[in-house]
Amino acid sequence: MTVNDDVFTDWKNREEIAESMIPIIGRLHREKDVTVLLHSRSLVNKSVVSILKTHRFARQIAGEELSVTETFPFLNALTSLDLGPSQIDLGMLAATYKADSRGLSVEEFTAEAVAGATGDNKLERRDARDVVLYGFGRIGRLVARLLIEKASGNGLRLKAIVVRNSGGDDLVKRASLLRRDSIHGQFQGTITVDEANNKIIANGNEITVIYSNDPSEVDYTEYGIKDAILIDNTGRWRDREGLSKHLRPGIAKVLLTAPGKGDVPNIVHGVNHDTIKPDEQIISCASCTTNAIVPPLKAMDEKYGVLRGHVETVHSFTNDQNLLDNYHKADRRGRSAPLNMVITETGAASAVTKALPELKAKITGSSIRVPVPDVSIAILNLQLATETTREDVLEYLRNVSLTSPLKRQIDFTTAPDAVSSDFIGSRHSSIVDAGATKVEGDNAILYLWYDNEFGYSCQVVRVVQTISGVEYPTYPLPAA
């Protein structure tokens, strides 16, 4: 047998193991509401190749490839445990087991590591929480995809979409936009339209399309909706008074997918989501750029101290701009988005203080819109309180992306040829580009990629899970 045959045989063996993982992962998710992760990346509903690619990606952040031959024994051990709703990270289980010197078997170690999710400790499965989308644009449709994806567990259920009626074939056209996306590809599943009852049925989820021109027109209880979280994707109302219009019968809380004004709390999941008051009815998820820069800012401030900083965002164009030169209330956004770089303002820097009030450093910011349809980069230039080295900063941020409470927000890439399209579909709010990072003494410049559509939508759904009480703990727990 040649060397090439050995490599191919190894690949086929790993394919076979990955195939055997799929039904186990599916059963744990459907029957016990357990989400199986690999270094914060969900393996639920993934193909054989996707599972193998996720294992290989660990090489970029952990320094070596992780094989399914290493993680499968831990997954198999989970099947014998009395698990409750939780998230379990196979990558972390494998890493912590390798570092453990007690000589425990995989089964013994796994049972100990996830003990908080088993037996008398386990959480009870909750009834699904109703969710309503007000508006169905770029963010609305991506949030819808995520909610439908997660509905096979028992946490959240998308019950309705509220839009203005645009005339003939409105329902069919909106379903088509959910089914196909020029940037994010095909919807993973099936979509049918029930025109007689104004419903879109996606992977078995019946979603009522409610036509309304104003929040005050809707009584959601008429559609069987109760105690729901309404996600306003329009950005039309951004203060408490305006958003309170959504607090209609059937709606308990309102979540804004734009920076909130006045006393509306701006929440960046992973940073300040634990400050949400149980009785708070109106919450903002801040902006995509705020979600991209605040987690790394928090990490850098905790380790080195941040005295001051400036963020320059190179941002993909959005629907707010014109395709061709035309009137716009803003000075430059009226110029053709696909033909120009457009200097514009960003509120992300000023929003930092609302999400991270303990950060005393002054952060300034500016933005340039560029002719790409998705994925942006934030260049974060920081003056630190402590002198350090590039190697130290990169090692620290890589560890943050692997093991810290910010590991769902911060990702890390060492790919030397990384470009923006590589990060379409990233579920992290910020990806540190190791190759572009610059550090000299007390000055650090971080290049942070982010999918300003999908990564941000993931952050929105995480906040929804938090306020719904269905954001389950992840095991194994970080070391104290």
Side-chain angles (χ1 to χ4, degrees):
M1 181 178 287
T2 67
V3 172
N4 286 342
D5 288 337
D6 287 339
V7 171
F8 187 64
T9 299
D10 176 63
W11 171 261
K12 300 299 287 184
N13 288 339
R14 286 187 286 137
E15 271 191 325
E16 185 176 354
I17 293 171
E19 283 176 357
S20 64
M21 295 174 79
I22 291 173
I24 298 174
I25 293 167
R27 282 196 303 273
L28 286 170
H29 191 59
R30 286 190 305 275
E31 297 173 8
K32 299 189 176 184
D33 209 0
V34 172
T35 300
V36 177
L37 310 172
L38 190 84
H39 287 313
S40 302
R41 289 166 168 76
S42 174
L43 296 182
V44 176
N45 292 330
K46 293 296 187 291
S47 67
V48 168
V49 172
S50 292
I51 289 173
L52 293 175
K53 281 186 69 175
T54 305
H55 279 73
R56 177 150 177 85
F57 186 81
R59 177 176 59 94
Q60 287 196 39
I61 50 179
E64 58 185 13
E65 186 171 345
L66 187 62
S67 172
V68 287
T69 60
E70 297 174 74
T71 59
F72 180 73
F74 296 97
L75 178 63
N76 204 38
L78 295 176
T79 61
S80 63
L81 299 176
D82 181 24
L83 289 167
S86 56
Q87 299 186 108
I88 298 177
D89 195 315
L90 297 182
M92 291 302 298
L93 275 174
T96 51
Y97 180 68
K98 189 179 293 186
D100 191 89
S101 59
R102 293 175 295 164
L104 300 176
S105 68
V106 166
E107 292 74 19
E108 291 169 332
F109 182 84
T110 303
E112 179 183 277
V114 303
T118 61
D120 293 339
N121 297 322
K122 70 181 183 181
L123 299 173
E124 294 300 318
R125 296 186 72 171
R126 295 173 176 264
D127 292 336
R129 184 73 178 265
D130 291 352
V131 180
V132 173
L133 293 176
Y134 198 95
F136 205 48
R138 298 298 301 151
I139 300 301
R141 292 195 295 274
L142 291 177
V143 169
R145 286 188 175 201
L146 287 163
L147 292 171
I148 294 163
E149 171 191 299
K150 295 178 183 300
S152 56
N154 202 36
L156 303 171
R157 187 65 52 83
L158 177 57
K159 294 296 289 289
I161 297 162
V162 185
V163 293
R164 288 178 291 186
N165 195 331
S166 298
D169 292 333
D170 183 275
L171 190 67
V172 172
K173 289 178 179 178
R174 293 189 189 276
S176 183
L177 284 168
L178 180 61
R179 184 181 291 115
R180 288 177 284 269
D181 190 281
S182 300
I183 296 168
H184 300 282
Q186 297 279 340
F187 174 80
Q188 296 301 303
T190 63
I191 293 175
T192 56
V193 176
D194 179 357
E195 291 190 80
N197 295 296
N198 268 10
K199 292 180 185 290
I200 295 173
I201 303 167
N203 290 357
N205 293 268
E206 288 192 353
I207 306 162
T208 302
V209 177
I210 301 171
Y211 291 111
S212 175
N213 293 318
D214 189 87
S216 61
E217 297 176 356
V218 188
D219 181 343
Y220 292 93
T221 58
E222 294 179 357
Y223 302 91
I225 295 167
K226 60 180 181 179
D227 194 34
I229 297 170
L230 181 145
I231 305 173
D232 184 328
N233 306 289
T234 68
R236 182 177 173 185
W237 304 278
R238 291 173 57 186
D239 60 12
R240 188 172 295 276
E241 181 182 0
L243 292 167
S244 294
K245 296 178 180 180
H246 291 303
L247 293 172
R248 301 282 299 154
I251 303 300
K253 294 181 184 291
V254 178
L255 195 66
L256 170 66
T257 61
K261 294 183 177 180
D263 66 342
V264 175
N266 281 251
I267 301 300
V268 174
H269 190 277
V271 174
N272 67 336
H273 65 277
D274 55 352
T275 66
I276 301 173
K277 297 175 182 176
D279 60 349
E280 180 60 75
Q281 290 186 289
I282 296 175
I283 296 164
S284 159
C285 287
S287 70
C288 56
T289 302
T290 304
N291 277 265
I293 65 174
V294 167
L297 259 177
K298 177 179 173 65
M300 292 296 287
D301 188 51
E302 287 178 348
K303 172 77 170 178
Y304 304 105
V306 174
L307 299 180
R308 64 180 57 85
H310 177 81
V311 60
E312 185 77 39
T313 64
V314 181
H315 199 290
S316 58
F317 62 78
T318 67
N319 270 336
D320 176 63
Q321 296 171 257
N322 292 334
L323 282 174
L324 295 171
D325 290 359
N326 210 337
Y327 173 80
H328 195 290
K329 63 182 180 180
D331 289 336
R332 303 186 203 234
R333 292 195 189 190
R335 302 299 298 277
S336 173
L339 296 178
N340 295 290
M341 294 189 290
V342 179
I343 298 174
T344 187
E345 71 283 346
T346 175
S350 58
V352 167
T353 54
K354 290 188 84 172
L356 197 59
E358 63 268 30
L359 182 71
K360 303 306 179 186
K362 178 177 176 58
I363 306 295
T364 58
S366 51
S367 181
I368 303 172
R369 297 287 179 92
V370 294
V372 294
D374 187 30
V375 180
S376 304
I377 191 166
I379 305 165
L380 192 56
N381 193 333
L382 304 176
Q383 183 184 351
L384 307 176
T386 307
E387 291 198 357
T388 184
T389 64
R390 181 174 182 272
E391 292 72 23
D392 188 75
V393 169
L394 290 178
E395 183 62 21
Y396 169 63
L397 290 176
R398 183 168 69 174
N399 287 331
V400 166
S401 75
L402 279 171
T403 62
S404 83
L406 292 170
K407 63 185 179 182
R408 296 172 73 191
Q409 283 71 42
I410 298 177
D411 203 0
F412 189 90
T413 181
T414 58
D417 56 350
V419 293
S420 60
S421 61
D422 296 334
F423 305 103
I424 292 174
S426 170
R427 295 182 180 232
H428 290 78
S429 60
S430 188
I431 305 107
V432 177
D433 191 314
T437 300
K438 294 173 172 55
V439 180
E440 186 172 337
D442 64 352
N443 178 242
I445 303 175
L446 307 181
Y447 286 72
L448 309 166
W449 298 102
Y450 58 109
D451 184 329
N452 47 277
E453 294 186 336
F454 195 73
Y456 176 68
S457 296
C458 290
Q459 283 286 87
V460 171
V461 171
R462 289 172 190 137
V463 175
V464 175
Q465 290 175 312
T466 295
I467 61 181
S468 301
V470 296
E471 186 183 34
Y472 302 128
T474 301
Y475 297 95
L477 297 172

